[in-house]
Amino acid sequence: MSGRGARRREPRQERSRAMVERIVAAGRDVLVTRGYDGASTNRIAAAAGVSPGSLYQYFPDKDAVLTEVLDRYLDAMEARVSRAFLDSVAAAGPGAGTAPAVRATLEALLDTFGEEPDLLRVIVEQLPRSPGGRRAAFAGRIDDLVTTVLLTRGVEDTDAARAAAWTVVRTVEHLTTGYVLERPGFARAVVVDELTALVAGYLDARLSGGRVASDGPS
């Protein structure tokens, strides 16, 4: 999705705010049913029950509407995942392994993905992650959370901690979206157990001795 779409102006009256909400909800529905290429301002306006001219008062093009849809989805996901991650880290305490935080993050991600799998499919398949886009920014903030935890647990090499965080965040993202979209036929609890063992085992091994270290010769 291009970065050119942006709100023309913010609605101030209740009726205008309600219209914007209808437009955004319609944008989400059209994106899911028609796909990104099939979405258009005319289709979004028709689905919202407003004229194209009314839509253009607040959004200059379809990208602006769909950017709003994506931003809201990712903002809600970020809040949910961050809260689950940080709450589990705080509850477990500094001496605990990483499994509680990993499990809580997996549960939060699967909850969010499972609530709107049709929107998730369009995002994954039709809205590729661009270096400066919102999807990359979301993943980057989760990277920062994991990196911070590693550093506060005694990791001294910041670059290695960042690399470990990047590795586990992308692994979790890929495998959880794959589970929701592919529907492989085994229970979610099994997936959570397997991914927790995989990711927590990796992180705990890296944290062994209070630092993230290379497995190669020094």
mmCIF file of all heavy atoms in Angstrom, residues 174-201:
data_model
loop_
_atom_site.group_PDB
_atom_site.id
_atom_site.type_symbol
_atom_site.label_atom_id
_atom_site.label_comp_id
_atom_site.label_asym_id
_atom_site.label_seq_id
_atom_site.Cartn_x
_atom_site.Cartn_y
_atom_site.Cartn_z
ATOM 1 N N HIS A 174 5.158 -15.385 11.389
ATOM 2 C CA HIS A 174 4.951 -16.267 10.238
ATOM 3 C C HIS A 174 4.153 -17.513 10.624
ATOM 4 O O HIS A 174 3.206 -17.901 9.917
ATOM 5 C CB HIS A 174 6.309 -16.676 9.654
ATOM 6 C CG HIS A 174 6.204 -17.624 8.505
ATOM 7 N ND1 HIS A 174 5.778 -17.240 7.264
ATOM 8 C CD2 HIS A 174 6.460 -18.966 8.422
ATOM 9 C CE1 HIS A 174 5.767 -18.291 6.445
ATOM 10 N NE2 HIS A 174 6.180 -19.341 7.132
ATOM 11 N N LEU A 175 4.513 -18.139 11.716
ATOM 12 C CA LEU A 175 3.872 -19.401 12.085
ATOM 13 C C LEU A 175 2.453 -19.198 12.612
ATOM 14 O O LEU A 175 1.578 -20.031 12.359
ATOM 15 C CB LEU A 175 4.727 -20.141 13.116
ATOM 16 C CG LEU A 175 6.085 -20.638 12.577
ATOM 17 C CD1 LEU A 175 6.887 -21.303 13.679
ATOM 18 C CD2 LEU A 175 5.881 -21.595 11.402
ATOM 19 N N THR A 176 2.200 -18.115 13.333
ATOM 20 C CA THR A 176 0.831 -17.883 13.814
ATOM 21 C C THR A 176 -0.103 -17.501 12.675
ATOM 22 O O THR A 176 -1.246 -17.974 12.615
ATOM 23 C CB THR A 176 0.791 -16.801 14.909
ATOM 24 O OG1 THR A 176 1.484 -15.634 14.450
ATOM 25 C CG2 THR A 176 1.418 -17.297 16.195
ATOM 26 N N THR A 177 0.359 -16.660 11.751
ATOM 27 C CA THR A 177 -0.499 -16.346 10.602
ATOM 28 C C THR A 177 -0.723 -17.597 9.760
ATOM 29 O O THR A 177 -1.833 -17.831 9.264
ATOM 30 C CB THR A 177 0.106 -15.237 9.725
ATOM 31 O OG1 THR A 177 1.426 -15.610 9.314
ATOM 32 C CG2 THR A 177 0.172 -13.924 10.471
ATOM 33 N N GLY A 178 0.322 -18.408 9.610
ATOM 34 C CA GLY A 178 0.168 -19.640 8.857
ATOM 35 C C GLY A 178 -0.854 -20.569 9.478
ATOM 36 O O GLY A 178 -1.669 -21.175 8.765
ATOM 37 N N TYR A 179 -0.850 -20.675 10.804
ATOM 38 C CA TYR A 179 -1.821 -21.550 11.459
ATOM 39 C C TYR A 179 -3.249 -21.069 11.223
ATOM 40 O O TYR A 179 -4.146 -21.864 10.897
ATOM 41 C CB TYR A 179 -1.548 -21.618 12.968
ATOM 42 C CG TYR A 179 -2.599 -22.409 13.705
ATOM 43 C CD1 TYR A 179 -2.633 -23.801 13.596
ATOM 44 C CD2 TYR A 179 -3.562 -21.770 14.479
ATOM 45 C CE1 TYR A 179 -3.622 -24.531 14.250
ATOM 46 C CE2 TYR A 179 -4.543 -22.504 15.129
ATOM 47 C CZ TYR A 179 -4.567 -23.874 15.014
ATOM 48 O OH TYR A 179 -5.550 -24.596 15.645
ATOM 49 N N VAL A 180 -3.481 -19.777 11.360
ATOM 50 C CA VAL A 180 -4.839 -19.241 11.192
ATOM 51 C C VAL A 180 -5.302 -19.368 9.744
ATOM 52 O O VAL A 180 -6.460 -19.743 9.485
ATOM 53 C CB VAL A 180 -4.889 -17.768 11.646
ATOM 54 C CG1 VAL A 180 -6.236 -17.133 11.301
ATOM 55 C CG2 VAL A 180 -4.647 -17.676 13.152
ATOM 56 N N LEU A 181 -4.432 -19.090 8.789
ATOM 57 C CA LEU A 181 -4.849 -19.074 7.393
ATOM 58 C C LEU A 181 -4.871 -20.464 6.757
ATOM 59 O O LEU A 181 -5.709 -20.738 5.900
ATOM 60 C CB LEU A 181 -3.925 -18.152 6.585
ATOM 61 C CG LEU A 181 -3.944 -16.678 7.006
ATOM 62 C CD1 LEU A 181 -3.001 -15.864 6.122
ATOM 63 C CD2 LEU A 181 -5.352 -16.102 6.962
ATOM 64 N N GLU A 182 -3.958 -21.337 7.164
ATOM 65 C CA GLU A 182 -3.896 -22.670 6.560
ATOM 66 C C GLU A 182 -4.859 -23.662 7.212
ATOM 67 O O GLU A 182 -5.225 -24.652 6.588
ATOM 68 C CB GLU A 182 -2.470 -23.206 6.652
ATOM 69 C CG GLU A 182 -1.462 -22.434 5.814
ATOM 70 C CD GLU A 182 -0.043 -22.914 6.036
ATOM 71 O OE1 GLU A 182 0.129 -24.069 6.503
ATOM 72 O OE2 GLU A 182 0.893 -22.148 5.765
ATOM 73 N N ARG A 183 -5.231 -23.430 8.460
ATOM 74 C CA ARG A 183 -6.125 -24.337 9.200
ATOM 75 C C ARG A 183 -5.644 -25.777 9.078
ATOM 76 O O ARG A 183 -6.299 -26.631 8.478
ATOM 77 C CB ARG A 183 -7.561 -24.214 8.673
ATOM 78 C CG ARG A 183 -8.128 -22.815 8.802
ATOM 79 C CD ARG A 183 -9.514 -22.721 8.222
ATOM 80 N NE ARG A 183 -10.054 -21.382 8.299
ATOM 81 C CZ ARG A 183 -11.238 -21.012 7.807
ATOM 82 N NH1 ARG A 183 -11.988 -21.919 7.188
ATOM 83 N NH2 ARG A 183 -11.654 -19.769 7.920
ATOM 84 N N PRO A 184 -4.498 -26.100 9.651
ATOM 85 C CA PRO A 184 -3.884 -27.407 9.434
ATOM 86 C C PRO A 184 -4.607 -28.584 10.074
ATOM 87 O O PRO A 184 -4.238 -29.728 9.814
ATOM 88 C CB PRO A 184 -2.483 -27.228 10.040
ATOM 89 C CG PRO A 184 -2.639 -26.144 11.052
ATOM 90 C CD PRO A 184 -3.664 -25.219 10.495
ATOM 91 N N GLY A 185 -5.576 -28.334 10.941
ATOM 92 C CA GLY A 185 -6.387 -29.439 11.440
ATOM 93 C C GLY A 185 -6.021 -29.970 12.798
ATOM 94 O O GLY A 185 -6.607 -30.957 13.256
ATOM 95 N N PHE A 186 -5.052 -29.367 13.474
ATOM 96 C CA PHE A 186 -4.780 -29.770 14.846
ATOM 97 C C PHE A 186 -5.088 -28.609 15.774
ATOM 98 O O PHE A 186 -5.181 -27.455 15.361
ATOM 99 C CB PHE A 186 -3.342 -30.261 15.041
ATOM 100 C CG PHE A 186 -2.313 -29.521 14.260
ATOM 101 C CD1 PHE A 186 -1.787 -28.335 14.734
ATOM 102 C CD2 PHE A 186 -1.862 -30.008 13.043
ATOM 103 C CE1 PHE A 186 -0.817 -27.648 14.018
ATOM 104 C CE2 PHE A 186 -0.903 -29.324 12.318
ATOM 105 C CZ PHE A 186 -0.391 -28.151 12.800
ATOM 106 N N ALA A 187 -5.269 -28.962 17.053
ATOM 107 C CA ALA A 187 -5.788 -28.008 18.016
ATOM 108 C C ALA A 187 -4.840 -26.837 18.234
ATOM 109 O O ALA A 187 -3.611 -26.982 18.168
ATOM 110 C CB ALA A 187 -6.059 -28.708 19.350
ATOM 111 N N ARG A 188 -5.429 -25.687 18.509
ATOM 112 C CA ARG A 188 -4.637 -24.493 18.790
ATOM 113 C C ARG A 188 -3.711 -24.713 19.978
ATOM 114 O O ARG A 188 -2.562 -24.251 19.980
ATOM 115 C CB ARG A 188 -5.576 -23.322 19.046
ATOM 116 C CG ARG A 188 -4.887 -22.104 19.621
ATOM 117 C CD ARG A 188 -5.821 -20.929 19.741
ATOM 118 N NE ARG A 188 -5.428 -20.045 20.817
ATOM 119 C CZ ARG A 188 -5.859 -18.803 20.949
ATOM 120 N NH1 ARG A 188 -6.722 -18.301 20.093
ATOM 121 N NH2 ARG A 188 -5.455 -18.049 21.957
ATOM 122 N N ALA A 189 -4.181 -25.415 21.005
ATOM 123 C CA ALA A 189 -3.349 -25.647 22.189
ATOM 124 C C ALA A 189 -2.066 -26.380 21.828
ATOM 125 O O ALA A 189 -1.008 -26.127 22.413
ATOM 126 C CB ALA A 189 -4.130 -26.442 23.232
ATOM 127 N N VAL A 190 -2.149 -27.286 20.854
ATOM 128 C CA VAL A 190 -0.958 -28.015 20.412
ATOM 129 C C VAL A 190 0.029 -27.052 19.766
ATOM 130 O O VAL A 190 1.249 -27.110 20.004
ATOM 131 C CB VAL A 190 -1.352 -29.132 19.420
ATOM 132 C CG1 VAL A 190 -0.102 -29.800 18.846
ATOM 133 C CG2 VAL A 190 -2.248 -30.152 20.105
ATOM 134 N N VAL A 191 -0.497 -26.141 18.943
ATOM 135 C CA VAL A 191 0.369 -25.158 18.279
ATOM 136 C C VAL A 191 1.041 -24.256 19.303
ATOM 137 O O VAL A 191 2.238 -23.970 19.216
ATOM 138 C CB VAL A 191 -0.455 -24.309 17.283
ATOM 139 C CG1 VAL A 191 0.412 -23.221 16.650
ATOM 140 C CG2 VAL A 191 -1.045 -25.197 16.210
ATOM 141 N N VAL A 192 0.266 -23.807 20.277
ATOM 142 C CA VAL A 192 0.830 -22.929 21.309
ATOM 143 C C VAL A 192 1.931 -23.657 22.070
ATOM 144 O O VAL A 192 3.001 -23.086 22.338
ATOM 145 C CB VAL A 192 -0.270 -22.432 22.264
ATOM 146 C CG1 VAL A 192 0.339 -21.678 23.453
ATOM 147 C CG2 VAL A 192 -1.242 -21.517 21.518
ATOM 148 N N ASP A 193 1.695 -24.913 22.423
ATOM 149 C CA ASP A 193 2.716 -25.685 23.139
ATOM 150 C C ASP A 193 3.987 -25.832 22.293
ATOM 151 O O ASP A 193 5.103 -25.655 22.803
ATOM 152 C CB ASP A 193 2.180 -27.081 23.487
ATOM 153 C CG ASP A 193 1.185 -27.057 24.642
ATOM 154 O OD1 ASP A 193 1.122 -26.032 25.354
ATOM 155 O OD2 ASP A 193 0.470 -28.054 24.821
ATOM 156 N N GLU A 194 3.814 -26.165 21.019
ATOM 157 C CA GLU A 194 4.964 -26.387 20.156
ATOM 158 C C GLU A 194 5.752 -25.097 19.931
ATOM 159 O O GLU A 194 6.992 -25.089 19.994
ATOM 160 C CB GLU A 194 4.515 -26.977 18.813
ATOM 161 C CG GLU A 194 3.967 -28.384 18.892
ATOM 162 C CD GLU A 194 4.981 -29.369 19.410
ATOM 163 O OE1 GLU A 194 6.163 -29.298 18.988
ATOM 164 O OE2 GLU A 194 4.625 -30.211 20.244
ATOM 165 N N LEU A 195 5.050 -24.008 19.656
ATOM 166 C CA LEU A 195 5.735 -22.742 19.422
ATOM 167 C C LEU A 195 6.383 -22.207 20.691
ATOM 168 O O LEU A 195 7.461 -21.602 20.638
ATOM 169 C CB LEU A 195 4.758 -21.710 18.853
ATOM 170 C CG LEU A 195 4.358 -21.906 17.394
ATOM 171 C CD1 LEU A 195 3.397 -20.811 16.959
ATOM 172 C CD2 LEU A 195 5.577 -21.901 16.490
ATOM 173 N N THR A 196 5.731 -22.418 21.831
ATOM 174 C CA THR A 196 6.335 -21.991 23.094
ATOM 175 C C THR A 196 7.639 -22.736 23.334
ATOM 176 O O THR A 196 8.657 -22.139 23.714
ATOM 177 C CB THR A 196 5.373 -22.217 24.264
ATOM 178 O OG1 THR A 196 4.182 -21.443 24.064
ATOM 179 C CG2 THR A 196 6.007 -21.800 25.583
ATOM 180 N N ALA A 197 7.617 -24.046 23.098
ATOM 181 C CA ALA A 197 8.837 -24.835 23.271
ATOM 182 C C ALA A 197 9.924 -24.379 22.305
ATOM 183 O O ALA A 197 11.100 -24.243 22.680
ATOM 184 C CB ALA A 197 8.529 -26.320 23.057
ATOM 185 N N LEU A 198 9.543 -24.108 21.061
ATOM 186 C CA LEU A 198 10.510 -23.689 20.049
ATOM 187 C C LEU A 198 11.146 -22.343 20.392
ATOM 188 O O LEU A 198 12.376 -22.202 20.440
ATOM 189 C CB LEU A 198 9.810 -23.600 18.692
ATOM 190 C CG LEU A 198 10.635 -23.066 17.523
ATOM 191 C CD1 LEU A 198 11.717 -24.070 17.131
ATOM 192 C CD2 LEU A 198 9.728 -22.769 16.328
ATOM 193 N N VAL A 199 10.305 -21.343 20.630
ATOM 194 C CA VAL A 199 10.801 -19.978 20.816
ATOM 195 C C VAL A 199 11.436 -19.804 22.193
ATOM 196 O O VAL A 199 12.524 -19.216 22.317
ATOM 197 C CB VAL A 199 9.665 -18.956 20.600
ATOM 198 C CG1 VAL A 199 10.146 -17.538 20.898
ATOM 199 C CG2 VAL A 199 9.150 -19.047 19.168
ATOM 200 N N ALA A 200 10.780 -20.293 23.237
ATOM 201 C CA ALA A 200 11.337 -20.155 24.580
ATOM 202 C C ALA A 200 12.638 -20.942 24.698
ATOM 203 O O ALA A 200 13.593 -20.495 25.361
ATOM 204 C CB ALA A 200 10.330 -20.624 25.616
ATOM 205 N N GLY A 201 12.695 -22.106 24.061
ATOM 206 C CA GLY A 201 13.939 -22.881 24.093
ATOM 207 C C GLY A 201 15.079 -22.111 23.459
ATOM 208 O O GLY A 201 16.199 -22.093 23.984
#
